[in-house]
Amino acid sequence: MLDIRNISVSVGEGKERKPVLKDLSLHVEDGEVHVIFGPNGSGKTTLVQTMLGYPGYTIDSGKIEIDGADITQLPINERVARGLGVVFQHPPAVRGIKLNDMANLVLKKKNTDDVLPETADWAKRLNMEAFLKRDVNYGFSGGEKKRAEVMQIILQNPSFLLLDEPDSGVDVENVEIIGRLLNKFLQRDLKPQARKKAAVIITHLGYLLNFVKTDRAHVLCDGQFLCSGDPKEIYANILKNGFDKCQNSCLYSVREEAGCVVPDGTGRE
Amino acid sequence: MAMQDLDPSEFKTQAPDAHGQVSTLKELGDEMKAKLARLGLMIAEEAGAGTYLQRDQTTSLCSTRSKGVEVLPIRQALQRYDWLKDYSWVAVKADTDKFTRDAASAPPDVVQGYFVRGLKGQVERAPVQTCLYVESRSTKQVVHNIVIAEEGSEINIITGCLAHGGIGRAMHEGISEFYVKKGAKVTFTMIHEWQEQMEVRPRTAIVLDEGAAFINNYIALKPVGSIQSNPIAYLNGDNSRVMFQTILYGKGSSRMDLGSRAVLKGRNTSAEMVSRIITRDKADVVARGLIVGDAPGAKGHLECRGLLLSDTSRIDSIPELDAKNPDVNITHEAAVGKISPDEINYLMARGATEDEATSMIINGFLSFDLSELPPEIAKETKKLVDQTMKGL
Ligand SMILES: Nc1ncnc2c1ncn2[C@@H]1O[C@H](COP(=O)(O)OP(=O)(O)O)[C@@H](O)[C@H]1O
Ligand SMILES: [Mg+2]
């Protein structure tokens, strides 16, 4: 279970410092998959990096809990040890470290250059076999980076998965491959009570949702959730109205939902 | 003090009979043996093609075990082969600078070094190991080496240059001339382990004929007082190629001015230069590279990457490309900086601690292409780099 309680986060230093997330809360039970929609710059990646504990993201108030334990002060790797796993929107290239080294890292197989059978298997399913011996993300296309990220994360096998635009820059065929693999990884094919994995998926493309069943969607605008509700309905409305007026993404039908504040369309609440 | 300010006449050479002979490296003292073993120089004594050990100006051991190569002390070789004078002080000119002049003017009976010859058509993958050991206090070691790979031959040399502990300020002046004939190949893996007060001035040139290949791997992982070296390869023959790989770890107050040069004179010649440099403490490294493209179809690439692990160290990368023909393709890339926090964070997000992430990045940074080397040399080289990494 993941619990984000009223966090406000700012980025940058000194004069450059600016608040990005504003008193934001999110609660994801084990076995649930939530999706976050939001325009560019609304704070989606900031939310992910904050949950991971990246330096440069200052939590001004609020806290983050995993399974009831406050992780707000933990370094990145200790959060990962508690079950967090991330697919990055823009993973960095690291010269001299091969994709296979990353696989061995998440599999906790140190001091070996061998390709383990499970790595070979997932690389094959994601069409990444030819990339295992290449420097991770170096010269990879956008889609190749995402497939490499998904491969690492499946091998890492976290109980709580954060996916920051796993589908952007990926061609439709590979979105389908990634979507189906994630759906299986997140145990969406099991009965709800049998599901253990939880996830937050950030996307602006609803296409991925054709393959990954999700429980709930949130619309993030200017560092706040404007509304929450049924993923398909919210997505349909975003398609119709776009994010131009952010609040248009929210539907009347979700207005009734408890805790969802929907503005009247004037831009003021 | 600028590198050229060093005065070679301040140092005195030892007499050629200052040290004794040994019939096997196993007879050496424990400190020397341990140092040689660390550099992978004990590997080849039985299985190798030949061994040469020079202590100061004494050739303590010289033996050949292969039919494909010949290893001789340079003085003996010059006496035995009259034709060898056509290769002595030819690739390296005696009046290049004050260090070459100093070495060239030393009494002939004092100068020692190795002569290694790959015999025509003989491919010998077993390593020839050579070792230049500076052993006496405040001494100057003067060395002159000549390596000739005859037509169609292959030789693989691993060489260690080291200094005995506690010898104070001392100097090494080393002239090396390589001649790689038609279709021949030489791999030359050189490991330097000097110490804080050594002043080192190697002067090296390589001449390549048609279809010849020269692969140079240079590794320096221990502190040194100062070293200045900038080998030059003349690719005279068509389709000849060189590769220079350099791994430097500058520590303490080491001053290193190191580079490589290639003159692509023949058609379709190629040069690849890759250097990886790590500095810490107050180390000061100048990394040079020069590729001259002077014939149609000449290709060259120069890549220099540096990691600064301290605020007080410096890496000055000076890549130079000189195209003298419109039909050449020469490129370079250089990147020098600190370890990127993004990369550390990324590895931590995959479960590594900060220290593990840092050492993975440094380790990966120093990985290099061992594919051209015979397996024994590749293995020892990798082991040496790995050991150093553990100590970082
Ligand atoms: N490290 C940072 N330094 C300065 N500004 C940042 C940083 N990270 C994010 N921002 C700013 O915060 C806002 C939210 O960015 P981000 O979370 O990346 O949005 P999204 O992922 O929704 O597109 C943007 O205005 C962005 O420019
Ligand atoms: Mg983003």
Side-chain angles (χ1 to χ4, degrees), chain A residues 16-83:
Chain A
E16 304 288 292
R17 182 156 167 171
K18 90 175 197 194
V20 177
L21 299 180
K22 296 155 192 168
D23 196 28
L24 186 125
S25 296
L26 178 67
H27 182 87
V28 183
E29 284 292 336
D30 291 351
E32 284 183 357
V33 175
H34 291 211
V35 56
I36 296 177
F37 295 114
N40 287 330
S42 57
K44 303 184 298 295
T45 296
T46 301
L47 178 61
V48 170
Q49 316 276 61
T50 302
M51 285 165 70
L52 249 187
Y54 262 46
Y57 297 83
T58 312
I59 299 183
D60 299 315
S61 60
K63 64 177 173 180
I64 304 169
E65 290 181 356
I66 288 184
D67 297 331
D70 188 348
I71 61 159
T72 320
Q73 303 303 326
L74 294 183
I76 301 171
N77 57 305
E78 286 178 32
R79 300 183 193 213
V80 172
R82 283 169 194 247

Side-chain angles (χ1 to χ4, degrees), chain A residues 8 12 30 43 94 96 113 142 153 164-165 175 179 209 218-220 244:
Chain A
S8 294
D30 291 351
V94 189
D113 295 334
I153 224 63
D164 195 354
E165 305 201 21
V175 170
L209 304 188
H218 312 269
V219 177
L220 185 67
D244 288 354

Side-chain angles (χ1 to χ4, degrees), chain B residues 247-284:
Chain B
I247 290 194
L248 300 179
Y249 179 33
K251 287 201 276 201
S253 45
S254 302
R255 287 177 310 127
M256 303 171 136
D257 184 338
L258 296 161
S260 37
R261 294 171 287 170
V263 182
L264 307 177
K265 240 345 201 171
R267 289 172 170 260
N268 303 314
T269 47
S270 71
E272 195 185 335
M273 297 176 182
V274 179
S275 50
R276 300 278 182 271
I277 303 156
I278 292 184
T279 56
R280 73 182 334 156
D281 309 324
K282 290 186 174 152
D284 188 326

Side-chain angles (χ1 to χ4, degrees), chain B residues 30-77:
Chain B
D30 289 345
E31 179 182 345
M32 279 181 79
K33 263 197 302 210
K35 284 187 168 171
L36 263 56
R38 208 184 108 74
L39 302 197
L41 290 172
M42 302 296 283
I43 42 165
E45 210 186 351
E46 276 100 32
T51 306
Y52 176 87
L53 167 66
Q54 177 173 341
R55 298 157 66 184
D56 296 332
Q57 299 310 112
T58 308
T59 298
S60 279
L61 174 62
C62 184
S63 63
T64 303
R65 274 172 304 277
S66 161
K67 290 195 171 68
V69 300
E70 180 178 33
V71 185
L72 286 174
I74 191 74
R75 299 228 42 79
Q76 204 176 317

